[in-house]
Amino acid sequence: MSLAHYRTLGRSGLRVSPLCLGTMTFGEDWGWGSSVAESEAILARYLERGGNFIDTANGYTKGHSEVIIGDYLARAAGKRHRAVIATKFATNMYPGDPNAGGGSRKNIVEACEESLRRLRTDYIDLYWMHFWDPNTPIDETLRALDDLVRAGKVRYIGASDTPAWKVAQAHVLAEFRGWSPFVGLQIEYSLIERTVEGELVPMARELGLGITPWSPLRGGVLSGKYTRENAAAARPDRGDRVTAFLTERNLSIIDELIKIGKEAGATPAAVALAWVQSRPGVASTIVGARRLDQLDQNLAAAGVALTPAQLAALDKVSQPSLNFPAPFFKMIPMFAQGGTTVNGTPSMVWPLAPQPSDKRY
């Protein structure tokens, strides 16, 4: 696999790279991140390697991330057309103004116009609902987004960080009304965060939403920088956002990543990214970088092919505890299949099932 081996995003014709460039670190406005020059070097390297999917948001580095992307693409002839720019709305950029955030029509239209201005473009390829706004009816949000699509200011829409039941409701409503449906789902997904496999991942696969995982390395915990040997002495820049995840379970995952990395001739980070990219329903995994060398290390995941045994080992060591009814669903083959194999899933006979000699009522 390479960056130029594109995939369609969900039930759409939009072709995106298997690794998406996350740009939350573009700009130093939060006191950390990449300088403008370094951000532009990262953009250039990603595009040169064949990548085409760039993810940002109106709130990233106070809007500076969008400006950096827009300025770079405006100077690079032909690159805007080849790039798939994804940005987000919902973050409030004007404290004190209750209408400057969320999913209302008023905010969506204004946020879109501001993102278009910062990005120096006439259209947004993929407009994400950054999170569900419980104070706005979802039909208002969907209708506003559909109007932007019909006006040519947005090409596709997606949902991020939203409960499965609300995304499903929105999807059915959009189909019923003839509005533009979500084509993608952006969620946190990694070897550490697998609870999304209970509801969000099955929903996305059923409805045809392309999954775009964020934080596939859990904020750098799975980067290979932290090991069982140095975890106790770790003093990361992000403090407890990293150290809180250096648990026994996660250190066991890191141990397995290091072991498989040696077998595959790859870094632990590349192995962790390759695992995420192999998961059912995943279309494009978001990778971020503050430095050019970090980008190169992450993009190396595009060339890593894990064996079934290696994938199984990672699955086992990272097995999540899922909410009901996920545990109950493991028993369904026994209840429903009568000891047969259906669609590749074998089953045992339910011990309490009627026997041939039993009277059936």
Side-chain angles (χ1 to χ4, degrees):
M1 180 181 71
S2 77
L3 282 183
H5 288 181
Y6 306 106
R7 301 178 176 185
T8 50
L9 184 66
R11 292 181 60 191
S12 80
L14 184 64
R15 280 79 161 165
V16 296
S17 299
L19 295 178
C20 171
L21 179 61
T23 64
M24 191 174 72
T25 58
F26 279 19
E28 300 168 295
D29 306 72
W30 285 339
W32 50 271
S34 308
S35 67
V36 173
E38 190 77 15
S39 299
E40 291 186 345
I42 290 170
L43 271 170
R45 179 67 58 82
Y46 176 74
L47 295 170
E48 287 167 3
R49 291 280 301 274
N52 75 337
F53 196 11
I54 302 168
D55 184 80
T56 185
N58 68 326
Y60 289 173
T61 53
K62 305 178 182 180
H64 197 186
S65 174
E66 288 184 327
V67 170
I68 292 171
I69 295 167
D71 288 349
Y72 176 79
L73 292 177
R75 294 196 310 269
K79 283 190 167 56
R80 168 63 191 100
H81 179 70
R82 295 178 62 86
V84 175
I85 298 178
T87 192
K88 309 178 188 73
F89 69 89
T91 296
N92 193 313
M93 299 285 282
Y94 300 95
D97 181 356
N99 286 308
S104 70
R105 172 180 288 274
K106 177 175 173 59
N107 178 60
I108 290 172
V109 174
E110 292 180 359
C112 181
E113 295 291 352
E114 291 190 352
S115 286
L116 290 170
R117 175 178 54 80
R118 286 190 290 264
L119 288 165
R120 298 179 63 179
T121 184
D122 296 328
Y123 65 96
I124 295 165
D125 294 291
L126 176 60
Y127 206 26
W128 294 105
M129 179 177 72
H130 207 157
F131 47 84
W132 167 50
D133 172 13
N135 292 310
T136 302
I138 194 65
D139 55 331
E140 178 179 338
T141 299
L142 290 170
R143 181 58 193 274
L145 290 170
D146 184 64
D147 285 348
L148 290 175
V149 172
R150 292 174 188 270
K153 295 182 178 183
V154 168
R155 300 294 193 251
Y156 301 90
I157 62 173
S160 173
D161 304 334
T162 297
W165 66 269
K166 179 55 68 172
V167 177
Q169 179 194 30
H171 184 85
V172 172
L173 181 61
E175 288 206 332
F176 179 70
R177 297 293 188 185
W179 298 337
S180 299
F182 294 138
V183 301
L185 179 72
Q186 190 172 139
I187 51 176
E188 182 178 358
Y189 196 7
S190 70
L191 281 160
I192 289 175
E193 176 47 82
R194 291 184 58 188
T195 59
V196 292
E197 294 175 5
E199 297 282 351
L200 285 159
V201 169
M203 175 212 66
R205 296 183 68 195
E206 181 72 17
L207 300 182
L209 306 179
I211 298 172
T212 305
W214 59 266
S215 199
L217 300 180
R218 186 66 279 277
V221 175
L222 301 177
S223 64
K225 181 189 301 185
Y226 308 102
T227 65
R228 188 176 293 278
E229 290 69 32
N230 67 21
R235 297 293 182 271
D237 293 343
R238 298 188 182 187
D240 61 4
R241 293 181 65 184
V242 171
T243 55
F245 289 91
L246 296 176
T247 62
E248 177 58 33
R249 170 184 180 266
N250 296 342
L251 288 172
S252 295
I253 295 172
I254 292 171
D255 289 342
E256 194 65 36
L257 288 173
I258 293 171
K259 173 178 175 291
I260 292 174
K262 291 177 180 178
E263 296 172 357
T267 65
V271 173
L273 290 170
W275 178 87
V276 172
Q277 195 58 21
S278 75
R279 303 304 292 170
V282 170
S284 182
T285 301
I286 298 174
V287 296
R290 287 198 241 176
R291 303 188 311 272
L292 197 57
D293 63 304
Q294 290 178 335
L295 176 71
D296 289 335
Q297 292 168 14
N298 287 337
L299 295 186
V304 176
L306 300 177
T307 66
Q310 291 168 338
L311 290 171
L314 290 170
D315 289 350
K316 182 178 180 180
V317 75
S318 64
Q319 190 66 39
S321 296
L322 302 178
N323 292 336
F324 180 86
F328 179 83
F329 267 51
K330 293 180 180 179
M331 298 185 291
I332 286 180
M334 176 183 70
F335 292 143
Q337 295 176 200
T340 66
T341 297
V342 179
N343 289 335
T345 301
S347 68
M348 61 180 289
V349 174
W350 181 32
L352 300 181
Q355 300 302 308
S357 60
D358 289 341
K359 179 180 179 182
R360 303 188 187 190
Y361 300 94

